[in-house]
Amino acid sequence: MSHDRKNRARDGISRRGLLGSAAGVGVAAAGAGVLAGRMSSPAAAATASGTVPFRAANQAGIVTPVQDRLHFAAFDVHTRSRTELVDLLKTWTVMAERMTAGHEATPDGAIGGGAFAPPSDTGEALDLSPARLTLTIGFGPSLFTTADGGDRFGIASRKPGALVDLPKFTGDALDPARSGGDIAIQACADDPQVAVHAIRNLARAGFGAVSVRWSQLGFGRTSSTSASQATPRNLLGFKDGTRNIKAEDHDTVDKFVWVDRGDDQAWMAGGSYLVTRRIRMLIEPWDRTSLHEQERVIGRTKGTGAPLGGKDEFDELDLQSAGPSGPLVDTDAHVRLASAEELGGIQILRRGYNFTDGSDGFGHLDAGLFFIAYCRNPQTQFVPMQNNLARNDALNEYIKHVGSAVFAVPPGLGPADYWGSTLFEN
Amino acid sequence: MSHDRKNRARDGISRRGLLGSAAGVGVAAAGAGVLAGRMSSPAAAATASGTVPFRAANQAGIVTPVQDRLHFAAFDVHTRSRTELVDLLKTWTVMAERMTAGHEATPDGAIGGGAFAPPSDTGEALDLSPARLTLTIGFGPSLFTTADGGDRFGIASRKPGALVDLPKFTGDALDPARSGGDIAIQACADDPQVAVHAIRNLARAGFGAVSVRWSQLGFGRTSSTSASQATPRNLLGFKDGTRNIKAEDHDTVDKFVWVDRGDDQAWMAGGSYLVTRRIRMLIEPWDRTSLHEQERVIGRTKGTGAPLGGKDEFDELDLQSAGPSGPLVDTDAHVRLASAEELGGIQILRRGYNFTDGSDGFGHLDAGLFFIAYCRNPQTQFVPMQNNLARNDALNEYIKHVGSAVFAVPPGLGPADYWGSTLFEN
């Protein structure tokens, strides 16, 4: 790939030329998706060289098998010009498509723009592979309307009913500086430097129009979105996401992840909603808790990840049987409260990452889970689930929600689309 | 390895039994080193399964081919008891040796200690490989003497002359909360979760006696310590560490990295000194600078990494020739000021990492280079080099040193040694 990245720049392939050819690929990919019905697993088409197609019926980075590393950024929009915002979204789209294909952010790149111009790519990914990079965009409630209901960019009437700030949940200890945002970009890749490079170059292109409100690095995935992936562990030491929605289960994905045409605003059809929660884990008290108590709190065994009473990780969760004292799976166990069985069938797609951000100033590591979920409607999926957890979860003694945000994630891109074109055009 | 980690716990192998066998391996490794003269490359012995030997003439994690990821922690020591401190160092040694071999931190581990005890390993590395984990310990000046010269642990007379706080350099903007520390532990691994797990479990074992003063995650290495490694790029987009000392060059390593018996305190023979500098990169102004200026500032070309006037990365650095205007390599170019040629032959071993820690609250990413260097004497190697750079380096316009620390790194461990035994015994 290093060869690829560099030669693009040196050969002086024009942005137009590249876009043309990239869009051509997009046509084929999107076309295939349309023909086969809703394309729910763009990553199934990931090539051997580690690239995930950028254009498909749905955005990549949602049901794509979770990459190992994350760099997530939320932006504040400062421009008051709709034209400038749309221009930035178009520029970002070109850059994002290039980077996910393993090219530099721009045709000139880090070294091809001439000696007396600032390089148009920052260069730190020059020698790296695409690393399955995906870039996923979302729009926060505040992009549509100001706090007093003002119409910032002429899109207030297009704000989906499902896109409202999350309610305050019991126990929330949110830091405004780590919450909200007008626009979110999620970069996932198997190489962290590729993810960081992507966010940095997009932030750079937005200089003056947008600024980074908060960002979060995730060093290890804490869920799987494909049956082909092993279940990873979170920093509580437990396997996380055993019962997560898997890309291969198309019916479940369609039901709980992708917005359908009739749901709400037409421009969101094929999109989804993204919820992020920065969950600080109070790992010191957790680490002083007995194995029995830890397993009671979670509702699973720590070693195999099997549900209590089961033997293997994927054994059925038994919420009915009695255990030696009370129910086999406690009434306030995390898995019970988050289960579809207890929530009238509700499921969400989780895509979180472990984080460690230095120390907290009190002698402890600032560590936890950066929770990411995608759902068709956060109001009817995430909110009732989190209400149930926030009120009753035995785990609450060991965690603290310190950041929160929600974003409308537009659908995937056809050959002529840019990020947000279904919202800003038509 | 997952099998290994789990079965150790389940089979109930005693700590004594495990230590015995691990120490046996240590004898062989250390013995080989002694026979062959000073063993300057413990990692050359890294096995196919991705483990780096823990016991050798020098500590691992110094000339070991740089692993991809870093978790570095500096601790404050709170206990006033020498016995308690020594006991902790012994406990840490046992845990560190186990974890670098790919085992859980303790024989009982995350699930083998019985249901009604807190697990003695936190569990998040249960399914992961050793990932070439190395753990390297260092002792700060403040461990030996208090600010008013007090002898905290009866080791004041053993404080090496080379171990004094670094002077204030021109332009330093140090945050005390990210500087100093009584003890440092550097965890390097190819999997970040393995490195984080190691630091967390060591911090946990020290609860009450020590606390985390600061910690730093590094997501990508910015140097090579072996001729077998490609040169990576820093967040300025330039290849970094082309002229770094390589493990294969034993004479240079002996001359500039390992403390010799006659240097200073006898207990430091075979040790080294560790300097850390958290260098924030002001990437926005850098990104607005022309390619020509960037290359002038660094003294190398951005694409290939060749020195100015050269063609290939490893071409000789030409500090004498004239260029089109002035010297080919500018008088204030970074490579010139850091070069052995300009510093009377001084070299240091670099082992830094790229970092990104969220945003800085002003709309920018908080990103940069966590600089790590090992040298035989920081006063005669790092200090004059940094003085030269701090006063003259053209790069200073784009960087800010915000954290700083120095530690004495004791020698490698023989079969009966623990971390610091040459300091606390004899």
Side-chain angles (χ1 to χ4, degrees):
Chain A
M1 263 335 290
S2 140
H3 183 76
D4 249 40
R5 282 188 193 262
K6 284 183 192 156
N7 285 13
R8 286 287 177 192
R10 288 191 189 139
D11 299 349
I13 295 173
S14 74
R15 180 175 292 200
R16 182 182 299 273
L18 247 180
L19 249 191
S21 94
V25 174
V27 178
V34 169
L35 284 177
R38 185 178 281 177
M39 186 169 173
S40 62
S41 179
T47 67
S49 68
T51 61
V52 180
F54 182 73
R55 290 178 191 269
N58 314 112
Q59 285 195 68
I62 302 174
V63 297
T64 305
V66 187
Q67 298 94 325
D68 289 342
R69 323 286 170 218
L70 168 83
H71 193 195
F72 192 104
F75 295 90
D76 287 327
V77 175
H78 300 294
T79 180
R80 293 164 158 236
S81 156
R82 175 178 169 130
T83 308
E84 194 181 355
L85 174 60
V86 167
D87 283 350
L88 175 61
L89 291 167
K90 288 177 178 172
T91 301
W92 272 356
T93 305
V94 174
M95 295 172 70
E97 181 160 20
R98 290 182 55 88
M99 291 190 286
T100 54
H103 304 307
E104 294 186 87
T106 58
D108 284 341
I111 57 172
F116 298 98
S120 53
D121 179 285
T122 57
E124 70 269 26
L126 266 181
D127 315 310
L128 306 176
S129 85
R132 295 201 304 129
L133 174 68
T134 56
L135 293 162
T136 313
I137 197 165
F139 304 127
S142 54
L143 186 72
F144 294 81
T145 47
T146 57
D148 58 0
D151 190 353
R152 301 174 69 184
F153 300 108
I155 52 175
S157 65
R158 296 191 155 221
K159 187 177 183 176
L163 185 68
V164 291
D165 283 321
L166 298 174
K168 185 181 185 319
F169 297 103
T170 307
D172 270 4
L174 304 184
D175 175 358
R178 292 190 187 273
S179 300
D182 295 326
I183 299 181
I185 301 179
Q186 170 197 281
C188 297
D190 289 331
D191 183 330
Q193 185 134 330
V194 169
V196 168
H197 168 264
I199 291 293
R200 174 186 177 187
N201 279 269
L202 296 173
R204 182 189 178 207
F207 186 80
V210 301
S211 66
V212 177
R213 180 179 174 84
W214 53 269
S215 88
Q216 181 68 53
L217 219 65
F219 65 77
R221 67 180 175 92
T222 56
S223 58
S224 309
T225 53
S226 165
S228 66
Q229 297 188 293
T231 310
R233 289 180 188 270
N234 60 29
L235 294 183
L236 302 175
F238 277 75
K239 292 193 181 186
D240 200 336
T242 298
R243 300 185 93 203
N244 200 19
I245 294 175
K246 300 294 193 292
E248 292 80 2
D249 191 350
H250 296 242
D251 290 348
T252 310
V253 170
D254 279 351
K255 186 167 174 191
F256 292 112
V257 179
W258 305 131
V259 175
D260 204 359
R261 192 156 296 274
D263 283 3
D264 198 329
Q265 295 278 353
W267 68 269
M268 274 294 289
S272 189
Y273 292 90
L274 161 59
V275 173
T276 67
R277 305 282 290 181
R278 188 175 191 270
I279 305 176
R280 171 84 195 278
M281 287 174 171
L282 309 175
I283 56 179
E284 291 77 14
W286 176 258
D287 286 347
R288 289 196 290 272
T289 305
S290 74
L291 178 64
H292 178 266
E293 173 69 0
Q294 290 185 4
E295 294 182 337
R296 186 194 71 76
V297 165
I298 300 295
R300 292 186 176 275
T301 58
K302 197 163 191 175
T304 62
L308 293 185
K311 275 188 62 182
D312 295 314
E313 182 192 344
F314 293 99
D315 283 353
E316 195 95 7
L317 182 61
D318 178 358
L319 298 171
Q320 308 306 327
S321 300
S325 53
L328 187 58
V329 174
D330 218 318
T331 51
D332 61 358
H334 182 74
V335 286
R336 174 188 292 274
L337 297 170
S339 71
E341 291 85 341
E342 296 265 319
L343 291 166
I346 292 172
Q347 296 183 57
I348 58 173
L349 179 81
R350 279 167 292 155
R351 217 177 194 285
Y353 286 83
N354 295 323
F355 72 81
T356 303
D357 291 339
S359 69
D360 65 357
F362 299 99
H364 305 133
L365 299 174
D366 179 2
L369 175 73
F370 187 68
F371 174 94
I372 295 176
Y374 286 91
C375 46
R376 185 169 164 184
N377 186 334
Q379 305 306 317
T380 58
Q381 293 170 260
F382 177 77
V383 171
M385 179 182 294
Q386 184 55 27
N387 264 326
N388 203 27
L389 290 169
R391 288 186 192 129
N392 305 311
D393 191 354
L395 188 56
N396 290 334
E397 198 174 331
Y398 308 99
I399 62 176
K400 194 156 54 168
H401 287 240
V402 296
S404 176
V406 61
F407 303 95
V409 173
L413 281 70
D417 285 331
Y418 60 87
W419 272 349
S421 54
T422 62
L423 168 61
F424 288 97
E425 311 292 331
N426 307 317
Chain B
M1 264 334 295
S2 137
H3 182 76
D4 249 41
R5 281 188 195 264
K6 285 182 190 156
N7 284 13
R8 286 287 177 192
R10 288 191 189 140
D11 299 349
I13 295 174
S14 76
R15 179 175 292 203
R16 182 182 299 272
L18 248 179
L19 250 192
S21 95
V25 174
V27 177
V34 169
L35 285 178
R38 186 179 280 177
M39 186 171 174
S40 63
S41 178
T47 67
S49 67
T51 61
V52 180
F54 182 73
R55 291 178 190 266
N58 314 113
Q59 284 195 68
I62 302 173
V63 296
T64 305
V66 187
Q67 297 94 326
D68 290 342
R69 323 286 169 218
L70 168 82
H71 193 194
F72 192 104
F75 295 89
D76 288 328
V77 175
H78 299 294
T79 180
R80 294 165 157 235
S81 155
R82 175 179 169 129
T83 307
E84 193 181 355
L85 174 59
V86 168
D87 283 350
L88 175 60
L89 291 168
K90 289 178 177 171
T91 301
W92 271 355
T93 305
V94 174
M95 295 172 72
E97 181 161 20
R98 290 183 54 89
M99 291 190 285
T100 55
H103 304 307
E104 294 186 88
T106 58
D108 283 341
I111 57 172
F116 298 98
S120 53
D121 179 286
T122 57
E124 70 269 26
L126 266 180
D127 315 309
L128 306 177
S129 84
R132 296 203 301 130
L133 174 68
T134 55
L135 293 163
T136 313
I137 196 164
F139 303 128
S142 53
L143 186 72
F144 294 81
T145 46
T146 57
D148 58 1
D151 190 352
R152 300 174 71 184
F153 300 107
I155 52 175
S157 65
R158 295 190 155 222
K159 188 177 184 178
L163 184 69
V164 291
D165 283 320
L166 298 175
K168 186 181 182 322
F169 297 103
T170 307
D172 270 4
L174 305 183
D175 176 358
R178 291 189 187 275
S179 299
D182 294 327
I183 299 179
I185 301 179
Q186 169 197 281
C188 296
D190 289 332
D191 182 330
Q193 186 135 330
V194 170
V196 168
H197 168 265
I199 291 293
R200 174 185 177 187
N201 279 269
L202 295 174
R204 182 188 179 208
F207 186 80
V210 300
S211 66
V212 178
R213 179 178 176 86
W214 54 269
S215 88
Q216 181 67 54
L217 219 65
F219 65 77
R221 66 182 176 94
T222 57
S223 58
S224 308
T225 52
S226 165
S228 66
Q229 295 188 295
T231 310
R233 289 181 188 270
N234 59 31
L235 294 182
L236 302 176
F238 278 75
K239 292 193 181 185
D240 201 337
T242 298
R243 301 184 94 205
N244 200 19
I245 294 175
K246 300 294 192 293
E248 292 80 2
D249 190 350
H250 296 240
D251 290 347
T252 311
V253 170
D254 279 351
K255 186 167 174 191
F256 292 111
V257 180
W258 304 133
V259 175
D260 204 0
R261 192 155 295 276
D263 285 0
D264 199 328
Q265 294 279 353
W267 69 269
M268 275 293 289
S272 190
Y273 292 89
L274 161 61
V275 173
T276 68
R277 305 282 290 181
R278 188 174 191 271
I279 305 176
R280 171 83 195 278
M281 287 175 171
L282 310 175
I283 56 179
E284 291 77 15
W286 176 258
D287 286 347
R288 289 196 290 272
T289 304
S290 73
L291 178 63
H292 178 266
E293 173 68 2
Q294 289 185 3
E295 294 183 337
R296 185 193 72 78
V297 165
I298 300 295
R300 292 186 175 275
T301 58
K302 197 164 191 175
T304 61
L308 293 185
K311 277 187 63 181
D312 294 314
E313 182 193 344
F314 292 100
D315 283 353
E316 195 95 7
L317 182 62
D318 177 358
L319 298 171
Q320 307 306 325
S321 299
S325 54
L328 185 60
V329 174
D330 218 318
T331 51
D332 61 358
H334 182 75
V335 286
R336 175 188 290 274
L337 297 170
S339 71
E341 291 84 341
E342 296 265 319
L343 291 167
I346 293 171
Q347 295 183 59
I348 58 173
L349 178 82
R350 280 168 293 155
R351 215 175 195 287
Y353 285 83
N354 295 322
F355 72 81
T356 302
D357 291 339
S359 68
D360 66 356
F362 300 99
H364 305 133
L365 298 174
D366 179 1
L369 174 73
F370 187 70
F371 173 95
I372 296 176
Y374 285 91
C375 46
R376 184 169 164 183
N377 186 334
Q379 305 306 318
T380 58
Q381 293 170 259
F382 177 77
V383 171
M385 179 181 294
Q386 184 54 26
N387 263 326
N388 203 28
L389 290 168
R391 289 186 191 130
N392 305 311
D393 191 354
L395 188 57
N396 290 335
E397 199 173 332
Y398 307 100
I399 61 175
K400 195 157 54 169
H401 287 240
V402 296
S404 177
V406 61
F407 302 96
V409 173
L413 282 69
D417 285 331
Y418 61 87
W419 271 349
S421 54
T422 61
L423 169 61
F424 288 98
E425 311 291 331
N426 307 318

